[in-house]
Amino acid sequence: MPMPNAKIDNQRMEKIVSLCKRRGFIFQSSEIYGGLNGLWDYGPLGVELKRNVKNYWWRVMVHERDDVVGMDGSILMNRAVWKASGHEDTFTDPMRECRFTHKRIRVDQIDPQSGTVMQFTGWHSPVWKLTGTFRVLMRPDEHIESFRRRVRRLVAENPLPDISPKRESRTAQPLKAEDIELLGEEKVSSVKDSFDFHPETGAELTAPRAFNLMFKTSVGATEDETSITYLRPETAQSIFVQFKNVLEVSRKKLPFGIAQIGKAFRNEINPRNFTFRSREFEQMELEYFCRAEQGMKLLEYWKEERLKFYENIGIPRSKLHVKNVVDEERAFYSKGTYDIEYEFPFGVQELEGVAYRTDYDLSQHQKASGKSLEYFDEDSKQKFIPHVVEPSAGVDRTVLALICEAYSEDEAPDEKGKMETRTVLRFHPRMAPIKCAVFPLLKNREELVAKAKEIVALLRPHMLVFYDEGGAIGRRYRRQDEIGTPFGVTVDFETLGEKDIALKDTVTLRDRDSMKQERVKISELVQILLQRVN
Ligand code: GAP
């Protein structure tokens, strides 16, 4: 059962966002120009983590199965695809707009507000005179004078074009808040639980309108109706439209699946919670085609498989919730949908949807394209349109869940034995960006450095390793703990056989979580580590 009231921990989330930037997991896109809302760049460690997620998904969903093949479709497709799939007409969110700033907000994200509705019948300034009414919510703790200043500022910065103000001056100087005189101020009512005002500006909202979430673009030299298409909002559609080609070349029999990982774009109106709701993101989708009578059973099967996947990358079952999406909330063509949710620090939120989409998608494309998308069953000699079960996961949400799950603070002794707070990312070794760090105990001892570099070269073909010779060994361990490196190898004087010849060519292998060290032979290092990180 979902836990809508799971604890919200904003402070933890702030620490995670800050660590992500500080250590190079995730940066704001175009940061030096002030960024662009809902868009993110993955830094050196983030890109490794992301690749580990995608590679493991591909391994268990494609390589380790006989019944799934992969594909990689284009992001831009013929507009007809989006007409047939229903996206052009119905991939919308109902939105309301602040009358002043035009900031949009999704109808379902407007929280109840309280305050006093103040109505103005116009305003006057050296540049404009306006008659017409507008309403702004005065908050319960707001003083009337500061409220009036706020409204004047709102008016100065965002003159209302939708009530055609009369221009009184030829030189359209920028308005100054202090020159604005508010006319006809009237207290309308006290509201509780009002849904009519923008939560940030407090100004009244327009009536709900449907906004399409797809980014429109055009292909070719001319920009007219015929060149219009969209950046794909999901990867699934290219799988449906290539169903026949893939079926023919792979010679698979039902049930079988086609998998794809790739970028998707949605002009989300309120991107939020760090990367959770972004405008550009990656999906990992499987369309698993089957006979109608297998649909509901396969929905259960894939839900369980997907839960196992998350457990295998280090997200415990206890933090995952399965929401059985009720009839009213499901797409009309779906006979059953589960949302797999995770307890993020900002609440329980969807990681993945597993949906039984019936034969809707293939039927739509068959109808619109006029090309047969039927399957011929050799045994019964029947032709029919297959049904499909779709586990659809977000790469970025999985990465975020992994970071949130891994983040922890504990106490560990510093070089002088004094306890200090240690920040650790407890990634499952399979997911950790860097698998092993290699340290010579001292950087000014040539033999130690040479041996450590030899070990780096030994491990490098098998995994991502990091060499670090700078600073005290304790500091070097901490730096790796903070980015989640599960293993550390230290080359010391025993390695050189200086203290005990029996220990020659052995190293210490340190475990990030327990901080315990074991002595292992260099010759066995690759095998030991591979067993633990795969
Ligand atoms: N083909 C089905 C489909 O696209 P969806 O529930 O809209 O279904 C599937 O998306 C997954 O894609 C979500 O569970 C989520 O992990 C990811 N996703 C969707 N919108 C996203 C966004 N704006 N930012 C990040 N991930 C998103």
Side-chain angles (χ1 to χ4, degrees), residues 16 46 86 115 146-147 162 172 202 240 261 348 356 381 412 450 518-519 529:
I16 289 170
S146 60
F147 168 70
D162 57 334
F240 296 129
I261 299 179
V348 177
Y356 171 27
K381 307 286 178 225
E518 58 187 308
R519 195 100 215 153
L529 288 174

Side-chain angles (χ1 to χ4, degrees), residues 9 14 37 108 115 129 149 190 223 312 345 366 443 446 472-473:
D9 191 342
E14 275 165 28
N37 205 5
D108 62 344
K129 180 176 170 69
R149 271 199 302 279
S190 280
E223 268 194 45
N312 288 339
Q366 172 164 298
K443 72 170 172 190
E446 232 174 74
I473 193 77

Side-chain angles (χ1 to χ4, degrees), residues 234 266 268 276 278 283 285 350-351 390 392 394 397:
E234 60 172 18
R266 297 183 189 177
E268 299 283 359
F276 180 82
S278 309
Q283 290 185 314
E285 296 199 295
E350 177 185 328
L351 266 184
E390 173 200 68
S392 169
R397 284 191 190 175

